Amino acid sequence: DIYINNKKLGDMKDEELTIFRRRNIGFVFQNYNLVPILNVYENIVLPIELDGMKIDEEYIDSIINTLGLNQKLTNMPNNLSGGQQQRVAIARAIATKPAIILADEPTGALDSKSARMLLESFETLNHDLSATILMVTHDAFTASYCHRILFIKDGKIFNELIRGNSTRKEFFDKIISVVTLLGGDNSNVF
């Protein structure tokens, strides 16, 4: 059974589940899934508007600032780079302050500065809003921001690492050690 915010997802009817997902789960897809006829700002606030909720402008502005999208708010998705589109998708995923964020290679299209900003934003969401973040990545640097890592090999859990009191650098070194055990090709998912 899957529970989010003490709600059992398996007991929900389709419409109830749709509303619950929109309010409680943020999705960061590898291929962005932006709405091409909406500008950047409209894409970011779309899940809030679909829900008929009031937009927390201060929070949305902080997301926009953190992800460096200030100068792009009126741009359409097709006028953005891949990294900019990814940042818009991330902003949209966290705009509702979700209880859980599901992220598929969220840093894959980002430069190192944007990736670091995103990962620090995820840390803040995790700490300040108690959001759980489930992330799939092949990147050891990205994985080093996590608290717990499950290594998958051939569709099965191969190993688990828990950060505990380790620094990010110490945790990164542990990750690299496990990757070496996996074969060192970094082709396995964290």
Side-chain angles (χ1 to χ4, degrees):
D1 294 329
I2 300 172
Y3 290 85
I4 298 175
N5 282 345
N6 296 318
K7 303 274 186 183
K8 185 176 176 185
L9 273 60
D11 290 346
M12 294 184 187
K13 294 185 179 0
D14 286 344
E15 185 176 337
E16 184 183 10
L17 188 56
T18 298
I19 293 167
F20 184 84
R21 277 193 307 253
R22 187 171 56 231
R23 291 179 180 168
N24 293 282
I25 303 173
F27 295 93
V28 180
F29 300 98
Q30 239 179 335
N31 61 352
Y32 322 128
N33 287 342
L34 299 179
V35 180
I37 60 170
L38 299 180
N39 67 31
V40 166
Y41 182 81
E42 293 165 337
N43 264 286
I44 293 170
V45 299
L46 179 62
I48 300 167
E49 290 184 334
L50 285 173
D51 209 27
M53 304 298 281
K54 184 178 183 309
I55 297 169
D56 181 344
E57 293 293 346
E58 185 177 328
Y59 177 68
I60 296 299
D61 286 346
S62 73
I63 293 169
I64 289 166
N65 288 331
T66 298
L67 294 173
L69 295 168
N70 312 55
Q71 305 300 315
K72 302 291 182 184
L73 295 179
T74 59
N75 287 53
M76 302 306 277
N78 65 340
N79 293 324
L80 301 173
S81 69
Q84 290 166 337
Q85 289 183 53
Q86 182 70 318
R87 287 184 278 155
V88 174
I90 290 161
R92 182 183 56 202
I94 62 179
T96 60
K97 302 177 187 171
I100 188 167
I101 298 167
L102 304 175
D104 182 8
E105 294 283 2
T107 60
L110 301 179
D111 59 58
S112 59
K113 179 182 176 190
S114 297
R116 187 179 304 267
M117 287 188 322
L118 166 68
L119 295 167
E120 289 170 359
S121 296
F122 277 180
E123 283 184 323
T124 300
L125 282 168
N126 179 252
H127 183 264
D128 295 351
L129 299 178
S130 298
T132 298
I133 301 162
L134 297 174
M135 178 171 45
V136 175
T137 185
H138 291 85
D139 180 51
F141 173 79
T142 299
S144 72
Y145 277 82
C146 298
H147 296 285
R148 178 180 178 214
I149 300 172
L150 297 175
F151 293 85
I152 309 294
K153 182 175 182 173
D154 300 328
K156 296 184 181 350
I157 295 175
F158 173 79
N159 200 343
E160 175 183 15
L161 286 179
I162 297 176
R163 185 170 174 182
N165 293 325
S166 300
T167 66
R168 240 183 18 80
K169 168 71 170 105
E170 292 167 340
F171 199 44
F172 177 82
D173 291 341
K174 291 177 186 176
I175 294 166
I176 295 301
S177 294
V178 175
V179 169
T180 303
L181 291 174
L182 285 166
D185 63 3
N186 214 20
S187 65
N188 297 286
V189 178
F190 300 114

